[in-house]
Amino acid sequence: APMLVYKDVRKRYGSFTALDGVSLHVNPGEVVCLIGPSGSGKSTLLRCTNGLETLDGGEVLFEGKPLPKSDVEMRGVRQRMGMVFQNFELFPHKTALENVATGLITVKKMPADEANRRAMALMAKVGLSDKTANYPSNLSGGQQQRVAIARALAMEPHVMLFDEPTSALDPETVGEVLNVMRQLALEGMTMIVVTHEMSFARRVASWVVVFEKGKLLEEGPPTQIFDAP
Ligand code: ADP
Ligand code: ADP
């Protein structure tokens, strides 16, 4: 069964139509890349997935159930979705390790020593074992984004949503973030990735969706999208 099903999803901002009837499904273990011009609705679709926005029409099914309307129920759903933003959004007054451990302590009610052990393992996974004590301001953009990925993974999400995760980075740190994402994909993580990194989409995506003006212009495997005559 698909992990996510979007049925005729519609979203307006005032008189502007951001999503104009989007239908799509995402199977477990798939990496779906959303590409297309800026303003075409890609980010809005992610925000409609994790409840940062409400729909104006259609529906989103997550693991077979419609997204709940109530904030309390939505919080439970959001715990199963990891979100990574363009601008990292780490807690500035916490160290890298604390950023990763804090959700385990406050949300998952894990004892602090166990949470720290788990956070250490995740810092190692993203290649930052030597940066656990750094504050975000003392990390490069690429390092901050890897901490943000570790923080999201700490909650053991069923799907990871990436909203232009490398767009705010210096070019020399883009690759280290894409490598972590590619590794996650190889491990079977279900991922939806809004990106302008076409080589990543071509090499890592199982399915590529091209947005234009709030609609799906085209979708298919990367070979079909990128290599068509
Ligand atoms: P439906 O779900 O009603 O079949 P869709 O338009 O969602 O309609 O999909 C049409 C076909 O495209 C599917 O039967 C499937 O073969 C393929 N497809 C759609 N989304 C995906 C995806 N995320 N991964 C792989 N194949 C997909
Ligand atoms: P993309 O991710 O493809 O660049 P977005 O989904 O971010 O596109 O945005 C689609 C359109 O919706 C944009 O033109 C944007 O200006 C508009 N939009 C997004 N969020 C809001 C908002 N909160 N209020 C008004 N307009 C918005």
Side-chain angles (χ1 to χ4, degrees):
M3 181 166 301
L4 280 160
V5 178
Y6 301 86
K7 291 186 191 169
D8 198 27
V9 170
R10 289 164 192 280
K11 179 69 187 176
R12 283 184 311 273
Y13 295 110
S15 62
F16 180 81
T17 300
L19 293 175
D20 193 8
V22 169
S23 297
L24 179 70
H25 61 259
V26 179
N27 294 317
E30 270 195 321
V31 178
V32 175
C33 282
L34 310 184
I35 67 174
S38 170
S40 57
K42 308 179 297 293
S43 171
T44 301
L45 192 74
L46 289 192
R47 296 165 62 80
C48 286
T49 307
N50 70 356
L52 289 175
E53 298 284 3
T54 55
L55 310 185
D56 293 318
E59 66 175 344
V60 178
L61 305 178
F62 177 50
E63 299 186 320
K65 295 200 198 100
L67 291 180
K69 304 271 182 241
S70 84
D71 283 352
V72 176
E73 285 177 285
M74 194 59 217
R75 218 171 292 153
V77 166
R78 206 174 287 150
Q79 280 177 30
R80 287 178 276 142
M81 299 180 179
M83 182 94 184
V84 174
F85 300 93
Q86 187 171 337
N87 291 308
F88 332 129
E89 306 197 14
L90 296 176
F91 305 116
H93 302 300
K94 291 186 194 292
T95 65
L97 191 77
E98 288 165 350
N99 264 279
V100 179
T102 193
L104 293 173
I105 296 167
T106 61
V107 179
K108 299 261 191 201
K109 310 294 180 204
M110 198 178 272
D113 57 345
E114 193 185 338
N116 285 334
R117 260 199 312 279
R118 213 178 132 56
M120 282 288 196
L122 286 160
M123 287 292 284
K125 185 182 173 68
V126 299
L128 291 173
S129 293
D130 56 339
K131 302 289 180 192
T132 54
N134 287 47
Y135 287 89
S137 56
N138 287 318
L139 294 170
S140 73
Q143 291 167 341
Q144 289 183 63
Q145 195 59 299
R146 285 185 284 153
V147 174
I149 293 171
R151 179 178 63 177
L153 291 175
M155 305 305 279
E156 301 189 291
H158 298 189
V159 60
M160 286 283 288
L161 310 175
F162 291 89
D163 193 357
E164 298 199 28
T166 60
S167 294
L169 300 181
D170 293 329
E172 63 271 23
T173 70
V174 168
E176 68 198 38
V177 173
L178 294 179
N179 277 335
V180 167
M181 292 168 62
R182 191 180 51 176
Q183 185 57 37
L184 272 184
L186 289 172
E187 290 168 13
M189 176 61 76
T190 309
M191 299 167 44
I192 307 181
V193 184
V194 174
T195 189
H196 296 288
E197 294 289 337
M198 291 306 133
S199 68
F200 177 87
R202 171 195 282 272
R203 284 157 55 204
V204 180
S206 47
W207 198 253
V208 178
V209 179
V210 185
F211 275 68
E212 192 178 81
K213 295 183 179 158
K215 289 187 183 355
L216 305 194
L217 178 68
E218 204 188 352
E219 61 177 312
T223 46
Q224 181 191 316
I225 300 296
F226 296 115
D227 300 336

